[in-house]
Amino acid sequence: MEDIEDLLVGSGGGGVPPGFRLPLNAVGVKPKKNRNKPNLSEDKRPQINDLLAPPSSKIPGTETIYIKTFGCSHNQSDSEYMGGQLSAFGYALTENSDEADLWLINTCTVKSPSQSAMDTLISKCKLAKKPLVVAGCVPQGSRNLKELDGVSIVGVQQIDRVVEVVEETLKGHEVRLLNRKTLPALDLPKVRKNKFVEILPINVGCLGACTYCKTKHARGHLGSYTIESLVGRVKTVIADGVKEIWLSSEDTGAYGRDIGVNLPTLLNAIVTELPPDGSTMLRIGMTNPPFILEHLKEIAEVLRHPCVYSFLHVPVQSGSDAVLSAMNREYTIAKFRTVVDTLTELVPGMQIATDIICGFPGETDDDFSQTVSLIKEYRFPQVHISQFYPRPGTPAARMKKVPSTIVKKRSRELTCVFEAFTPYDGMEGRLERVWITDIATDGIHLVGHTKGYVQVLIIAPESMLGASAIVKITSVGRWSVFGEVIETLNQIKRRTASEKRMSAQEKHSLWSEEYKTSACVKEPESCTCVSGSCGAEINGERAISQGEVVLKDRNQGNLFAWLVRKRKTQVHKRVEDGLASGSEEKHEWDRGAIGQWGVIDKALLGGMLFSLFTVVVLLIYPSFSTLPSN
């Protein structure tokens, strides 16, 4: 089947010059085939005007779309862009496939199980007689799959035309857009799966030629976005309230080699735009060893930045040089060690994740033993272990395979070795700054990450999503740690803003005691409160619970002192609430007005004054009784 561009650039009288982009209402489509009709002769084939679809009986943009995504974060970003365009056009998005008018499946070709899941979903969609559009790496790399017969297709570099494809598919036409062109714009409408996380593709394709990889067939050769366009996107998403920016690509380390720049230059340009208070964090995506080796010190400097997670995904795939050579990975184990050792040495708290393929063709027992030894030596906190899957059309698919029983055995053995690690031992009791961006699958915990991108599960209100907090690690698990919120930093920032609007005298009367006890409150933006910094000060001088500062007092038995402390806490809370809600009460604080005392406060104060009066009377009365009478 021809691409839609091939139909538009036909040789007949309705053809157009190569490269000419027709307007939306002139897009030609290929109608569904009627297998009962004989094929038309060459001179009777329809021209472009004959291929135009009849007007739709439905109002465009009123249908509901179900989007299912397989694969990497780059695929997820593509789905968010496609969803954004469809939503902007008027289509409704749903997570319920049964109620959808059309399914859009964004596919992954890395492993056979992912493609098998796609095949199952396509069959289910066809049985339900739903219009279907397939996007992603599978149709781009294997356009002639029989499973794709009768469905519309969007290529990986054609996602900016998804509305056209969906619109025509809903009319009953089969449309295919697969030709590669310029990179899709970064400023397209986008509907994020997580509103606090922006997945930002910095390039597509790669410079490698791994013998097992099918993704290269789909994503193609390296194509990098300009630094200006990426920095512009960063500014936009920060203004939108994004709290994490994930740089994504097939190989982050190769960025810019096709346009005369490099990854450190891009990273430094992006870091400059991040808020200085650390409210938005940057996560650098997966990078293969060859292209990061020459920039290790520059990358380490970026990873040390307080607004960049000290985390990197560096796939090794095997611990054997012989296997790496058969994979055509273009590095040795010694070079991989250089990457890991250098970053671990130069970046405090550095966390590195890696990948392993078990049972690659030709892998011997000795090769596998070297892999196990490498994993045991470095005890990586995250290792993605997979069995080798031969992908059609790749050189590795033609190599002599290791028996499947051995492949499965090696995969189980390496998994047992990895799961025996306890990478987070020693974190219990530590104070960490944590950035909270998601809700756990149990629906109870919120999910945050430390500077080293260690996953932290906390029980806290959903209003804390998008905030950062000082968290005390209470226990550690195999895959994550658990903690309790000690202080929410954005609440402190609001209080700091309120102080600027108050007079010096009011600030002294209300917060002088608190400022004496904590340097962290003065400059919350620069305080990460990691172990060994201000943690001892917090434990020694003040107790903090759920973001509310409660000052200690040496005279705990002094009722009047307790009442004053309670009053100050109420003052802090009312100021924060007023700033958050924009109420009239906030303006009263701006004018220096003090709120009304509560009934209990008045009763306690009255009781203390009455007690004081009684004591004074009892002390004075004996003096009067002993005076001489006249």
Side-chain angles (χ1 to χ4, degrees), residues 301-315:
E301 183 177 356
V302 173
L303 290 168
R304 287 196 300 267
H305 192 281
C307 296
V308 181
Y309 285 120
S310 304
F311 170 83
L312 200 60
H313 179 195
V314 187

Side-chain angles (χ1 to χ4, degrees), residues 284-567:
I284 304 174
M286 186 274 291
T287 177
N288 288 311
F291 300 111
I292 195 179
L293 274 168
E294 62 188 80
H295 302 302
L296 280 178
K297 291 185 178 179
E298 294 91 336
I299 297 297
E301 183 177 356
V302 173
L303 290 168
R304 287 196 300 267
H305 192 281
C307 296
V308 181
Y309 285 120
S310 304
F311 170 83
L312 200 60
H313 179 195
V314 187
V316 63
Q317 305 300 5
S318 175
S320 164
D321 283 339
V323 174
L324 292 179
S325 178
M327 292 178 172
N328 196 30
R329 289 289 288 171
E330 300 180 349
Y331 59 86
T332 62
I333 291 301
K335 292 181 178 179
F336 174 78
R337 289 178 180 274
T338 298
V339 172
V340 176
D341 294 342
T342 302
L343 293 179
T344 303
E345 177 185 356
L346 297 180
V347 183
M350 183 69 194
Q351 298 279 315
I352 293 178
T354 194
D355 299 348
I356 295 292
I357 297 176
C358 292
F360 188 82
E363 182 185 64
T364 65
D365 289 340
D366 182 61
D367 294 328
F368 178 68
S369 295
Q370 294 178 51
T371 299
V372 173
S373 298
L374 181 73
I375 299 302
K376 285 183 176 179
E377 177 183 353
Y378 284 99
R379 302 176 69 87
F380 298 104
Q382 298 180 38
V383 180
H384 308 119
I385 302 169
S386 66
Q387 301 173 28
F388 170 74
Y389 295 101
R391 304 302 294 132
T394 62
R398 300 189 297 270
M399 299 178 182
K400 185 177 180 180
K401 299 176 181 59
V402 176
S404 60
T405 54
I406 296 178
V407 175
K408 293 177 181 178
K409 178 184 176 184
R410 290 174 180 173
S411 176
R412 287 194 298 267
E413 180 181 341
L414 187 59
T415 300
C416 289
V417 169
F418 167 62
E419 291 184 350
F421 298 159
T422 52
Y424 307 128
D425 281 357
M427 289 189 67
E428 188 170 350
R430 283 167 51 179
L431 294 172
E432 296 276 356
R433 183 173 182 178
V434 173
W435 289 264
I436 305 165
T437 57
D438 209 348
I439 301 174
T441 54
D442 63 6
I444 299 174
H445 293 85
L446 299 186
V447 180
H449 292 90
T450 67
K451 175 71 162 62
Y453 211 67
V454 177
Q455 181 175 271
V456 182
L457 301 178
I458 61 173
I459 296 179
E462 290 187 18
S463 59
M464 287 192 64
L465 287 171
S468 64
I470 304 304
V471 173
K472 181 178 181 180
I473 306 302
T474 56
S475 62
V476 299
R478 174 59 187 85
W479 311 107
S480 57
V481 300
F482 295 83
E484 62 180 16
V485 175
I486 300 299
E487 186 169 7
T488 305
L489 295 183
N490 63 344
Q491 291 181 355
I492 297 178
K493 286 167 60 180
R494 287 201 299 269
R495 184 164 66 244
T496 303
S498 70
E499 294 168 38
K500 294 179 180 179
R501 290 190 290 269
M502 298 179 68
S503 68
Q505 182 177 0
E506 289 167 339
K507 285 192 291 184
H508 182 270
S509 63
L510 291 176
W511 288 299
S512 59
E513 182 179 358
E514 180 181 345
Y515 267 57
K516 290 177 183 178
T517 59
S518 174
C520 286
V521 181
K522 291 183 181 179
E523 297 181 2
E525 298 87 352
S526 60
C527 178
T528 56
C529 287
V530 293
S531 179
S533 58
C534 57
E537 185 176 2
I538 292 176
N539 292 330
E541 296 296 332
R542 59 176 180 154
I544 311 171
S545 177
Q546 298 296 331
E548 181 177 328
V549 178
V550 182
L551 301 175
K552 289 185 177 180
D553 193 285
R554 293 181 180 179
N555 187 5
Q556 294 288 347
N558 189 320
L559 185 60
F560 184 75
W562 173 85
L563 183 60
V564 171
R565 288 197 307 275
K566 181 175 182 294
R567 183 61 186 160

Side-chain angles (χ1 to χ4, degrees), residues 156-288:
V156 294
Q157 292 186 21
Q158 299 276 7
I159 61 172
D160 54 348
R161 299 181 66 183
V162 67
V163 172
E164 302 173 43
V165 177
V166 166
E167 192 173 12
E168 296 300 332
T169 303
L170 286 167
K171 294 176 181 178
H173 301 138
E174 179 183 343
V175 183
R176 294 198 167 194
L177 290 175
L178 288 170
N179 282 356
R180 291 190 174 93
K181 57 183 187 64
T182 57
L183 299 177
L186 294 173
D187 58 355
L188 294 170
K190 195 171 191 179
V191 175
R192 299 184 187 92
K193 183 178 180 181
N194 183 331
K195 68 178 182 178
F196 298 112
V197 177
E198 166 72 6
I199 304 173
L200 179 59
I202 63 174
N203 56 266
V204 300
C206 67
L207 295 176
C210 300
T211 56
Y212 58 85
C213 182
K214 184 75 172 178
T215 305
K216 182 65 176 282
H217 295 195
R219 294 286 182 178
H221 199 65
L222 180 68
S224 303
Y225 286 95
T226 65
I227 291 179
E228 293 74 19
S229 63
L230 291 167
V231 170
R233 181 64 182 174
V234 167
K235 292 179 180 178
T236 299
V237 301
I238 290 175
D240 288 344
V242 162
K243 300 303 178 183
E244 283 188 7
I245 300 173
W246 299 358
L247 301 186
S248 176
S249 80
E250 282 63 57
D251 187 355
T252 303
Y255 169 80
R257 289 175 177 262
D258 57 321
I259 58 175
V261 295
N262 57 43
L263 181 61
T265 304
L266 170 66
L267 295 178
N268 286 319
I270 291 177
V271 165
T272 302
E273 302 300 330
L274 299 178
D277 62 358
S279 57
T280 300
M281 295 293 287
L282 179 69
R283 193 187 83 173
I284 304 174
M286 186 274 291
T287 177
N288 288 311

Side-chain angles (χ1 to χ4, degrees), residues 64-67 100-104 130-133 165-166 169-170:
T64 301
I65 311 297
Y66 167 70
I67 301 178
D101 297 304
L102 177 142
W103 290 13
L104 171 57
K130 302 271 189 179
L132 174 62
V133 176
V165 177
V166 166
T169 303
L170 286 167

